[in-house]
Amino acid sequence: MHTLPLAGIRKQKVLLQPLIAVPVRVWLACLLAALAACSSTQTFVAPLGQASFALYQAETRQWLEEHRHFQGPDKAAELDWNMPQEWRPAGVPSKGVLLVHGLGDSPWSFCDLGPELARQGFLVRSVLLPGHGTQPADLMHPSLADWRQVVREQAAILAREVAQVYLGGFSTGANLVVDYALDNPEVAGLLLFSPAFKSDSAYDWVTPWIAWARPWLRIPDANRPQQTPVRYLNTPTNGFAQFYRSSAAVRSGLARKTYDKPALLVTVRHDSVLDVRHTLETFTKRFTHPSSRLVWYGSLPEGTSVPPRVLVRSDYLPEQRISQFSHMGVLFSPRNPLYGEQGLRLCWNGQDEDGLRQCMEGAQVWYSAWGYREPGKIHARLTFNPYFDWQAEVMAQVLKAAEKDAMQGGNDARCALSVSQYSTLQIK
């Protein structure tokens, strides 16, 4: 069984309202407990500050060995799936991509994208955000600053090894890389998959205020699995709070300045956790490079014509029993052994109990985002992208445009010497 952690905000809205009735003594007790825990926070966060990617990998693996709640007997495989990864191209690379996963996920999220980018000539690396890869409760401890730190450190390390650095992210990870790129013009371009600029929940802003008093929006249940070998199935309130802070930061950053380097954004019309109208508007107004592209799966919002630079593909594919695309599916190839066409079936998808039972018993299903229902059909989660290969071609085109800009100097401040400035210099 599987669910997206971000969806917990929406499904648990009702749990936020009773908090105003909690007795003062309970609030004070929770506050004291939270303050007492602050002194030991770093105990629960994987070490950062390494001088190389190899050392970062080694120390992260050791941390996982000591702290992970393993889900199966093959511990070595689980460590590989959850630790930072590297994919190398043929020859000596001159360009690299750093990939950042989403809330509750792991570096395994990029098991299809990483090799594809390596085939395109990039040195590709992924990170493990603090609080991930071990057990869901460990997400009670990291801050947005911790997540920003690992992006900042590994982007700097990559920049020492290749001439051109690109950043990519999924969901919350997309927020983190945009946040970094806006203040670091040496980043040549961005790849943003289901970018989580704005949640569809009206309550996400509450989470930073209540995380100390209500550690979980959905209290862990021994009868329901809390994680899989590659991701969490439940997320502490602090995880949602740091997601909210990342989304607020990127909205503030994009309000302050536009992003003028090439960027690829990929989103789905029926995303179950994001405000995709906001994504569309943000792309058209704030991602200004003519080579930037937004891939939009599904119909555009009513009354909207196709804007320039937006590529629309249908998300209703009845020949494959696909009713709509999902938040998570954009990352994965149909050939993925776990999430592809021949992979597992995620039946816990917001259906009623009878639909869930039939799905788990092997009945024929259709596929959708979380929570979609249609009379006469049972829907499991769509976990892959039928357009993955086409999307990879679009990605390559955007990256080629970015590479051309970088080769020509682009907007890099280190190369921003104008003719008029040059003519005023005294050449001796």
Side-chain angles (χ1 to χ4, degrees):
M1 295 185 182
H2 177 97
T3 184
L4 294 176
L6 247 172
I9 296 178
R10 184 186 60 257
K11 291 181 288 182
Q12 303 298 330
K13 289 177 183 177
V14 68
L15 296 178
L16 300 176
Q17 298 170 350
L19 290 173
I20 59 174
V22 174
V24 172
R25 64 180 182 276
V26 176
W27 286 86
L28 291 175
C30 291
L31 177 59
L32 291 173
L35 292 173
C38 290
S39 62
S40 60
T41 292
Q42 292 303 311
T43 304
F44 301 94
V45 176
L48 299 175
Q50 295 83 3
S52 69
F53 184 74
L55 185 58
Y56 168 59
Q57 277 188 309
E59 292 188 359
T60 302
R61 187 181 184 94
Q62 181 178 352
W63 172 266
L64 292 174
E65 287 177 343
E66 296 171 356
H67 294 87
R68 178 168 175 79
H69 180 57
F70 289 95
Q71 300 299 293
D74 193 343
K75 294 184 178 181
E78 286 193 37
L79 291 173
D80 289 341
W81 295 332
N82 286 274
M83 66 179 288
Q85 293 295 331
E86 180 179 81
W87 296 269
R88 302 192 68 90
V92 179
S94 62
K95 52 190 180 180
V97 182
L98 184 70
L99 299 174
V100 184
H101 64 78
L103 178 62
D105 284 309
S106 70
W108 184 87
S109 299
F110 302 113
C111 61
D112 294 332
L113 186 63
E116 176 59 37
L117 285 165
R119 283 191 289 271
Q120 295 182 19
F122 293 87
L123 170 60
V124 186
R125 289 172 177 168
S126 60
V127 302
L128 178 67
L129 293 177
H132 292 78
T134 49
Q135 56 184 333
D138 288 344
L139 267 176
M140 291 183 181
H141 308 289
S143 66
L144 178 59
D146 294 321
W147 293 353
R148 283 171 163 168
Q149 181 180 348
V150 71
V151 173
R152 180 176 67 251
E153 290 177 351
Q154 292 305 316
I157 289 171
L158 184 60
R160 295 200 294 266
E161 301 179 38
V162 295
Q164 299 171 26
V165 171
Y166 302 80
L167 302 179
F170 170 68
S171 194
T172 301
N175 294 348
L176 295 172
V177 301
V178 174
D179 183 47
Y180 180 85
L182 286 172
D183 292 326
N184 292 273
E186 65 273 16
V187 175
L190 294 173
L191 304 173
L192 310 175
F193 301 91
S194 297
F197 299 155
K198 187 177 182 182
S199 165
D200 71 346
S201 170
Y203 295 93
D204 59 352
W205 65 272
V206 178
T207 53
W209 295 93
I210 68 166
W212 61 271
R214 192 180 190 97
W216 299 89
L217 294 181
R218 189 179 71 223
I219 297 174
D221 180 352
N223 296 319
R224 171 177 286 177
Q226 300 299 298
Q227 65 188 104
T228 76
V230 296
R231 58 164 298 129
Y232 296 162
L233 300 181
N234 197 5
T235 301
T237 311
N238 181 66
F240 295 125
Q242 304 319 314
F243 155 72
Y244 169 74
R245 289 183 170 124
S246 77
S247 65
V250 79
R251 290 197 301 272
S252 175
L254 287 169
R256 173 171 45 91
K257 63 170 68 173
T258 59
Y259 187 74
D260 60 1
K261 304 286 184 67
L264 171 67
L265 284 71
V266 179
T267 196
V268 302
R269 174 67 179 88
H270 298 104
D271 194 302
S272 62
V273 294
L274 301 180
D275 181 345
V276 293
R277 287 176 179 266
H278 179 84
T279 305
L280 177 61
E281 181 179 357
T282 298
F283 173 77
T284 57
K285 294 181 178 180
R286 311 309 293 172
F287 288 82
T288 57
H289 196 282
S291 295
S292 291
R293 295 291 183 270
L294 169 63
V295 172
W296 179 280
Y297 294 123
S299 60
L300 288 169
E302 187 176 352
T304 304
S305 57
V306 180
R309 305 179 299 139
V310 176
L311 307 177
V312 179
R313 290 292 182 273
S314 174
D315 68 346
Y316 177 63
L317 304 176
E319 67 278 6
Q320 298 182 60
R321 301 196 307 280
I322 295 173
S323 292
Q324 53 183 219
F325 282 20
S326 72
H327 178 84
M328 65 173 289
V330 298
L331 281 179
F332 299 104
S333 165
R335 299 176 293 278
N336 185 284
L338 179 64
Y339 282 166
E341 290 179 295
Q342 303 303 316
L344 60 78
R345 175 187 289 192
L346 299 185
C347 291
W348 199 87
N349 194 41
Q351 307 296 294
D352 59 27
E353 291 186 7
D354 185 58
L356 173 62
R357 177 186 56 77
Q358 292 186 56
C359 177
M360 297 185 70
E361 290 177 354
Q364 185 182 76
V365 298
W366 284 61
Y367 300 93
S368 70
W370 189 93
Y372 178 73
R373 296 187 185 187
E374 186 177 334
K377 295 178 181 177
I378 304 165
H379 281 85
R381 187 80 53 84
L382 180 64
T383 54
F384 64 91
N385 184 353
Y387 299 109
F388 182 86
D389 292 337
W390 169 79
Q391 180 177 286
E393 294 174 2
V394 176
M395 179 175 68
Q397 293 168 5
V398 172
L399 289 170
K400 285 179 181 177
E403 184 176 3
K404 182 179 179 181
D405 274 12
M407 295 290 289
Q408 294 176 347
N411 296 315
D412 192 328
R414 295 169 297 180
C415 302
L417 177 63
S418 68
V419 172
S420 61
Q421 288 173 314
Y422 182 81
S423 64
T424 65
L425 299 178
Q426 294 292 326
I427 308 298
K428 297 182 179 180

